[in-house]
Amino acid sequence: MNVLDVLEERGYLKQMSHPDEIRELLGKEKITFYIGFDPTADSLHVGHFIALMVMAHMQRAGHRPIILLGGGTGMVGDPSGKNEMRKMLTPEFINHNIECFKKQIGRFIDLSEGKAIVANNADWLLKLNYVDMLRSVGVHFSVNRMLAADCYKTRLASDNGLTFFEMNYMIMQAYDFYTLHKNYNCVMELGGDDQWSNMIAGVELIRRKDRQPAYCMTNTLLTNSQGQKMGKTVGGAVWLDPEKFSPYDFYQYWRNIDDADVEKCLALLTFLPMEEVRRLGALQGAEINEAKKVLAYEVTKIVHGEAEAEKAKNATEALFGSGSNLDNVPTITVRKDEWGCRLLDLLAENKVIATKSEGRRLMQQNGLSIDDAKVTDVDTLVDDALFADKESLMLRKGKKKYYRLVRG
């Protein structure tokens, strides 16, 4: 089966540079393709998830992925979707993030010898001679066409405008594709649909400069049924790093998505057969909760491993089902030196709340409770009166997030 049929059936594909040629190519050859990841943080997030899944499907079909880490492009920053210039990152920060990305990507992609390539565009971009770059690459770019691209047009119309510094990003990304084509016979770039203009630039550079075929495909972005980007919570992004977003919270995020988004997420974010995806997506009423359980488990298993998925599932069943084992519920142990502190401070220190302001709002809006009793006093202390001779308390944040407070 042509992998393009798999990607289309599951809803990944958005745009293709040469649809007929791409279908023929993927049907008869095993190609080398790439997806780039700029290391702007020390963890990948849910926004990267679809691109990683596309890469995994391509690899399973026998095609070889190149994971391109943006040690060079990260020094400039992609202006796409930004209202102002990105903060300049230090080389040390970028290199640290790259090492974090490598560990996470290994959960999705087989990085063993011959199965994939991990490259860093700092290896060629940081060595470029500026005048040579202008002469060999710059002559192939029309400024008029660049300014018409969505990634630049939006910024040009904003109050902040567009710096010459950022305008170079498209050329750098195009040069990445050109270099990977020369070094590894890479013939296709994949990525999110917000990267279309940058990706087309690489295709055209190869076709103009080397007169060789090159292609690109974009995947749909992860949005809900209202067209809004998924992967955000009150506390920030849904990170793939368990230290930044726990497996339990990750499981709960997918367990609590809107009913209308379940089938789409099952298709995009799991490897379940489409027959099963359609069966689960067709469930109605209370039965859709069974589909959400499957989604949460499968996605957590892919990102964090089967053991963590089991823990999250068991913890959820202990709270909402007939189970009685609470060992897997996130636990906060109150140390002796913390006894008598404010509950607000304890929750902020343990990242239950992103900020104390968020905690105050939760309390004021009846969004925080302990053993089913609302906590509305922002000066509530963690002391004997709160525990009332109990060894542990069950704290609920919002409707679905639970934590245990345990005497240290």
Side-chain angles (χ1 to χ4, degrees):
M1 186 179 185
N2 192 321
V3 69
L4 200 65
D5 294 322
V6 175
L7 298 178
E8 286 181 332
E9 182 182 28
R10 301 190 80 95
Y12 288 109
L13 298 185
K14 190 72 173 180
Q15 300 187 77
M16 290 185 278
S17 61
H18 305 79
D20 294 337
E21 291 178 40
I22 289 173
R23 176 167 291 281
E24 181 182 1
L25 177 67
L26 294 178
K28 70 179 182 181
E29 293 182 29
K30 301 304 180 187
I31 69 162
T32 297
F33 68 97
Y34 94 94
I35 299 180
F37 300 90
D38 271 354
T40 55
D42 57 1
S43 173
L44 297 165
H45 54 70
V46 163
H48 298 108
F49 204 159
I50 290 185
L52 290 166
M53 290 296 289
V54 170
M55 185 181 286
H57 280 291
M58 289 282 289
Q59 187 182 53
R60 289 182 174 203
H63 304 287
R64 183 176 66 162
I66 298 175
I67 298 98
L68 182 64
L69 301 170
T73 44
M75 298 284 284
V76 173
D78 184 5
S80 302
K82 296 296 178 184
N83 294 323
E84 58 186 12
M85 192 175 80
R86 290 176 182 266
K87 177 184 176 182
M88 286 197 193
L89 308 178
T90 66
E92 294 77 17
F93 182 78
I94 290 172
N95 291 334
H96 169 74
N97 295 348
I98 282 175
E99 293 307 312
C100 295
F101 278 22
K102 287 179 182 177
K103 294 175 184 176
Q104 290 180 334
I105 290 172
R107 283 200 175 275
F108 294 83
I109 307 301
D110 182 355
L111 299 179
S112 57
E113 187 70 29
K115 295 291 182 66
I117 297 168
V118 179
N120 184 341
N121 60 22
D123 292 343
W124 53 85
L125 291 179
L126 300 188
K127 298 175 183 177
L128 286 173
N129 177 284
Y130 185 64
V131 174
D132 289 345
M133 178 75 163
L134 290 176
R135 289 170 62 90
S136 65
V137 177
V139 293
H140 296 285
F141 283 80
S142 161
V143 172
N144 289 5
R145 286 197 61 191
M146 291 175 71
L147 295 181
D150 287 340
C151 57
Y152 292 148
K153 188 164 56 177
T154 303
R155 282 289 298 282
L156 284 170
S158 72
D159 294 336
N160 294 310
L162 177 73
T163 65
F164 179 73
F165 172 70
E166 296 168 285
M167 194 171 174
N168 282 271
Y169 189 90
M170 181 184 290
I171 299 175
M172 294 171 73
Q173 185 167 330
Y175 190 77
D176 282 343
F177 194 177
Y178 173 76
T179 301
L180 295 175
H181 180 264
K182 290 183 72 71
N183 293 349
Y184 303 107
N185 192 31
C186 175
V187 297
M188 187 178 296
E189 180 180 3
L190 280 68
D193 197 52
D194 55 348
Q195 292 297 304
W196 176 250
S197 298
N198 293 332
M199 292 162 69
I200 282 292
V203 169
E204 293 182 348
L205 178 62
I206 294 168
R207 287 176 174 251
R208 289 172 182 166
K209 191 170 173 59
D210 284 354
R211 303 196 179 281
Q212 295 289 321
Y215 313 92
C216 68
M217 297 193 302
T218 66
N219 57 255
T220 183
L221 302 179
L222 188 59
T223 57
N224 62 21
S225 54
Q226 285 78 46
Q228 301 163 330
K229 279 190 178 182
M230 297 179 70
K232 292 287 186 181
T233 68
V234 173
V238 179
W239 300 103
L240 305 190
D241 183 342
E243 297 298 319
K244 294 172 75 72
F245 202 84
S246 76
Y248 174 81
D249 286 337
F250 190 81
Y251 180 98
Q252 289 298 323
Y253 178 84
W254 302 108
R255 177 67 181 81
N256 294 304
I257 65 169
D258 289 343
D259 295 357
D261 299 319
V262 173
E263 183 171 348
K264 176 181 181 179
C265 289
L266 282 166
L268 294 173
L269 305 178
T270 80
F271 294 108
L272 291 176
M274 282 304 294
E275 295 81 5
E276 180 67 359
V277 168
R278 283 188 279 266
R279 183 190 73 79
L280 291 167
L283 296 175
Q284 298 292 322
E287 289 186 333
I288 196 68
N289 286 316
E290 295 305 312
K292 292 183 181 182
K293 291 177 184 178
V294 173
L295 170 66
Y297 183 84
E298 292 294 325
V299 176
T300 306
K301 182 172 70 172
I302 291 169
V303 175
H304 296 296
E306 189 168 5
E308 291 297 335
E310 285 290 339
K311 288 181 183 179
K313 176 185 174 184
N314 292 339
T316 301
E317 289 177 351
L319 289 169
F320 303 110
S322 58
S324 59
N325 179 15
L326 299 177
D327 290 344
N328 294 317
V329 177
T331 299
I332 300 170
T333 301
V334 185
R335 304 186 309 267
K336 290 182 179 179
D337 63 316
E338 295 175 311
W339 202 251
C341 72
R342 287 197 311 168
L343 177 63
L344 189 67
D345 298 330
L346 181 74
L347 299 183
E349 181 184 342
N350 287 274
K351 299 181 180 178
V352 174
I353 52 176
T355 64
K356 293 179 185 178
S357 296
E358 178 200 339
R360 292 189 188 95
R361 284 195 300 272
L362 272 173
M363 292 179 180
Q364 292 163 359
Q365 296 168 7
N366 293 321
L368 197 71
S369 60
I370 290 180
D371 286 355
D372 292 327
K374 299 295 183 184
V375 180
T376 57
D377 183 356
V378 296
D379 291 320
T380 297
L381 299 179
V382 181
D383 56 14
D384 285 321
L386 183 68
F387 273 82
D389 297 326
K390 297 178 182 177
E391 290 302 313
S392 67
L393 303 172
M394 188 62 66
L395 180 141
R396 185 178 71 186
K397 174 189 173 187
K399 293 183 178 180
K400 299 287 188 179
K401 290 194 174 182
Y402 285 80
Y403 302 84
R404 292 175 69 213
L405 296 182
V406 178
R407 288 177 183 266

